[in-house]
Amino acid sequence: MQLVVARIGRAHGIKGEVTVEVRTDEPELRLGPGAVLATDPAATGPLTIESGRVHSGRLLLRFEGVRDRTGAEALRNTLLIADVDPEELPEDPEEFYDHQLIDLDVVLADGTEVGRITEISHLPSQDLFIVERPDGSEVMIPFVEEIVAEIDLEEQRAVITPPPGLIDESEAVVVSSRDEEQAAGEAEEAPKGDA
């Protein structure tokens, strides 16, 4: 099975290095020297990683045969794709590959059906489950411990404990800062007892 593990960004310097946007929780395994990666577009690859280093919090890679800024810039926006055994699991039991989560049934703690995971959206701050509901609508569920209580791969389900309003907008509690300020002002104006 093929998984996208990174996207090539801008060239860095003049010796062929590129910045990469990492899309794997295991960059040391997938993006290490000697790794041969397929690409999208396919005509760009395969690419073999010659070296890698972290500079100012960003991963920089150099590929075999790419020796100058022009060659590095030509790779910009290319997706790097690793071949992964579908039976392989992440080292951390609390981590999952996207293909393990796609098509899981999403249910509330009481067993109420919410829908089915159709996509995982990887955002800078957190990952989101895109869940298709039985009526065809979609809901986004943040993949965080406070909301996703359990991932059960044997039962093919994700158990969630959403806050009010996440699944059903009619349950949402809307509080504006103006309401909070007004409530605080009323509390200050309340008569005080004799001291």
Side-chain angles (χ1 to χ4, degrees):
M1 174 177 39
Q2 295 191 320
L3 296 176
V4 174
V5 292
R7 183 182 66 82
I8 298 175
R10 298 189 320 244
H12 179 83
I14 60 171
K15 296 184 179 178
E17 284 185 311
V18 295
T19 62
V20 291
E21 174 190 307
V22 177
R23 295 189 180 174
T24 175
D25 289 336
E26 303 170 313
E28 62 286 342
L29 175 67
R30 308 280 179 221
L31 301 171
V36 179
L37 302 167
T39 60
D40 181 10
T44 307
L47 294 173
T48 302
I49 297 175
E50 185 175 287
S51 65
R53 66 187 177 102
V54 176
H55 175 73
S56 297
R58 293 201 62 112
L59 179 62
L60 303 178
L61 296 179
R62 179 179 289 129
F63 298 99
E64 289 181 4
V66 180
R67 295 283 171 244
D68 60 19
R69 185 173 185 89
T70 304
E73 198 58 48
L75 298 175
R76 191 171 189 169
N77 293 322
T78 298
L79 296 177
L80 299 175
I81 303 166
D83 278 317
V84 177
D85 179 350
E87 301 302 314
E88 182 181 329
L89 299 175
E91 290 178 15
D92 183 344
E94 296 296 313
E95 291 182 4
F96 302 93
Y97 293 131
D98 287 4
H99 72 272
Q100 295 175 292
L101 300 171
I102 299 293
D103 286 333
L104 290 185
D105 292 324
V106 178
V107 297
L108 299 177
D110 67 4
T112 304
E113 179 186 7
V114 175
R116 183 178 55 82
I117 299 173
T118 57
E119 183 182 342
I120 311 295
S121 180
H122 300 282
L123 303 176
S125 59
Q126 68 191 13
D127 295 337
L128 291 175
F129 291 161
I130 309 302
V131 177
E132 184 177 317
R133 306 197 55 174
D135 65 5
S137 65
E138 288 185 339
V139 62
M140 291 181 271
I141 310 288
F143 188 16
V144 294
E145 191 175 340
E146 296 81 16
I147 296 174
V148 180
E150 178 187 4
I151 299 289
D152 186 339
L153 295 179
E154 286 185 20
E155 294 291 324
Q156 287 290 291
R157 67 184 191 151
V159 179
I160 63 169
T161 55
L166 184 66
I167 303 297
D168 185 354
E169 290 180 18
S170 67
E171 296 175 358
V173 177
V174 179
V175 177
S176 73
S177 59
R178 187 174 61 197
D179 292 340
E180 289 175 0
E181 290 169 7
Q182 183 178 6
E186 289 171 1
E188 289 174 10
E189 293 172 11
K192 298 187 170 115
D194 294 331

